[in-house]
Structure formats: structure tokens, C-alpha cells
Amino acid sequence: LLIDEQHKKQLIKHLYEFITEDRLALFYDNLKQRTSRITIVLEDIFHSKNASAVLRTADCFGIQNIHIIENRNQHNTNPNVSLGSSKWLTETFYNQNKNNTKECLQSLKKEGFKILATTPHNAKSIHDIDVNNGKIALLFGAEKKGLSDLGLQMSDEKVKIPMYGFTESYNISVAAALCLQAIVSKIRASTINWQLTEKERDEVLLNWLRNSIKESVLIEKRFILELISS
């Protein structure tokens, strides 16, 4: 349901009644650790276990927003791997066009994100990235094939994880974890205001409440009708 900011706050307080105090305290603790300054972009991930592992990793690092591009492959998750992490994340899907990579990356650039394409070739070390220069979108490509030519062309910078063995690349979930560890630790150690804004916190909290309460849709409809009629 579309509601204004004032009514959204009222709805959030109303939904408090349907969860325990401990659950609500956990939500607020996690909100303090969430960030929208970093986002993950998945382009055509094929294996559901890999996609699910990335979502689980993102949640563990406090990343809120995930952007999922579906050109050839449909995004699927494996509940045994994701452990329900997707319901705590804000997922945006791009699957309406023939090539959805352009739409996704253009949208992120308009929002002020710097696109970092992960690739083992001709790239800067992830440890050398300057986190003080705006928001960061980490772009990961499909298993084996990697990122599309368009994804690489539209990226602002190419990054890699240093490797010292014979194998050319990490599994995507491992790569996501290593990249996030490098960037998140830098941001948290800086003076950057990396936490969610008040508006973002309200939106995330409302979604968490909706996903945690049985018959939340019915409860919300009744509350909105009461607001309108009062």
C-alpha cells in the first residue's frame, strides 16, 4: 500500500503490537548496522546456491539493497543456503527488457553510485578502492562467463581480489564476502555517515514488520481504512 511518511510512522507503531519486545529490539539493533552506501549487483547468476550465499553474505555485512539483473538466467534462491536472509533485504529486479544491464547500471549511476566491476583482468585491487568518493555498487557476473561486455563497459572501475594460486577466480559468494570485507571495514573505520537515513530506516523497518507478522496485509488494510475514515 502507498502511504505518506506521517501515516507510515503511525502504521509502524501500530504493527509493534503484533511482535514481541525482544523482536523489536533486535530490529532496531540491526537497523543501526544497516547501510545503503554499498550495494550488490548480480548479473545473470545461474546457480541458486551461489545467489543464495551472496544474499546471506550481504545480510551478514549489513548491506540492505541488492540489485538483480536477469537477462538469460532467472534468479532463484535456495532456502537451505540463504536461511531466510532475502526477507531482510531490499531486492530490486531488472527483467523487463532484452538487456536489463543497461537499465540497472544507468539507474544506479543516477542515484550517485560508482560501479565497480569485479573481474580478474586489468583491474585494481579491491583493497586500493577509495571509499570516501561516493556510494559503491559492486557488480558480479555469472559463473564461468563472468560479467557481460556491456557490464564491463558501463562500469566506472574494474576491481579484483588478489590471488596467489593457479585458479583464476573465486566462487562468487566467496568473492562477494572478500570484497565486502575490504570495503565495509574501510567505511566503518572512516568518518563517513554510512548508516541509513531516517526515511530509509522507516521503509526497511516497515518491510521487516510486514515480513514477520502473520496476516500483515489484512492488518495494514484495516489500519489504513481506519485512518482514512477518522
Side-chain angles (χ1 to χ4, degrees):
L1 295 175
L2 295 176
I3 54 176
D4 59 33
E5 292 304 311
Q6 180 183 353
H7 287 158
K8 185 179 293 182
K9 289 183 179 295
Q10 290 176 281
L11 173 60
I12 288 171
K13 289 183 178 180
H14 178 65
L15 293 177
Y16 287 173
E17 301 173 18
F18 299 91
I19 62 171
T20 65
E21 290 184 5
D22 288 344
R23 184 75 160 176
L24 184 59
L26 178 61
F27 283 175
Y28 272 103
D29 285 343
N30 280 325
L31 277 174
K32 294 176 185 176
Q33 305 301 327
R34 275 326 213 225
T35 185
S36 60
R37 191 177 177 87
I38 307 168
T39 190
I40 294 287
V41 184
L42 302 178
E43 184 189 44
D44 264 345
I45 304 303
F46 178 74
H47 293 292
S48 63
K49 287 186 178 180
N50 287 336
S52 302
V54 173
L55 298 185
R56 182 176 172 182
T57 297
D59 176 50
C60 289
F61 276 100
I63 306 303
Q64 183 59 41
N65 299 310
I66 308 292
H67 297 265
I68 298 166
I69 300 169
E70 298 175 323
N71 289 325
R72 302 181 310 277
N73 303 322
Q74 185 176 358
H75 174 82
N76 292 297
T77 57
N78 185 313
N80 293 325
V81 178
S82 64
L83 298 181
S85 56
S86 59
K87 74 176 182 178
W88 309 122
L89 303 171
T90 303
E91 297 174 302
T92 304
F93 291 83
Y94 302 83
N95 52 23
Q96 299 300 309
N97 301 313
K98 184 177 181 180
N99 191 319
N100 301 281
T101 299
K102 183 177 181 181
E103 178 192 357
C104 175
L105 300 188
Q106 280 184 338
S107 176
L108 287 171
K109 288 188 176 191
K110 286 179 181 178
E111 293 177 25
F113 280 93
K114 183 178 182 180
I115 312 297
L116 302 185
T118 56
T119 174
H121 308 295
N122 302 316
K124 176 191 289 189
S125 169
I126 188 68
H127 300 292
D128 295 332
I129 294 301
D130 182 5
V131 298
N132 297 288
N133 193 22
K135 298 185 288 185
I136 292 173
L138 287 166
L139 177 60
F140 295 93
E143 301 87 343
K144 294 185 179 180
K145 186 176 181 180
L147 290 169
S148 66
D149 290 340
L150 181 58
L152 291 169
Q153 291 165 10
M154 291 188 68
S155 65
D156 298 296
E157 202 161 3
K158 297 177 180 63
V159 296
K160 65 180 180 181
I161 303 164
M163 298 186 65
Y164 309 102
F166 293 103
T167 308
E168 187 179 70
S169 63
Y170 290 100
N171 173 278
I172 183 174
S173 61
V174 174
L178 292 172
C179 287
L180 288 175
Q181 174 63 40
I183 293 180
V184 170
S185 60
K186 276 189 177 183
I187 286 180
R188 286 176 174 265
S190 72
T191 57
I192 297 170
N193 183 13
W194 51 266
Q195 293 175 304
L196 298 178
T197 64
E198 181 181 355
K199 183 177 180 180
E200 288 173 331
R201 287 197 302 270
D202 285 347
E203 188 64 38
V204 171
L205 178 56
L206 179 55
N207 285 332
W208 288 356
L209 290 165
R210 285 168 170 165
N211 290 333
S212 302
I213 298 170
K214 290 182 179 180
E215 298 184 350
S216 62
V217 174
L218 181 59
I219 293 169
E220 185 172 339
K221 283 183 178 179
R222 286 174 178 169
F223 180 74
I224 297 301
L225 287 173
E226 288 177 5
L227 282 178
I228 294 172
S229 60
S230 62

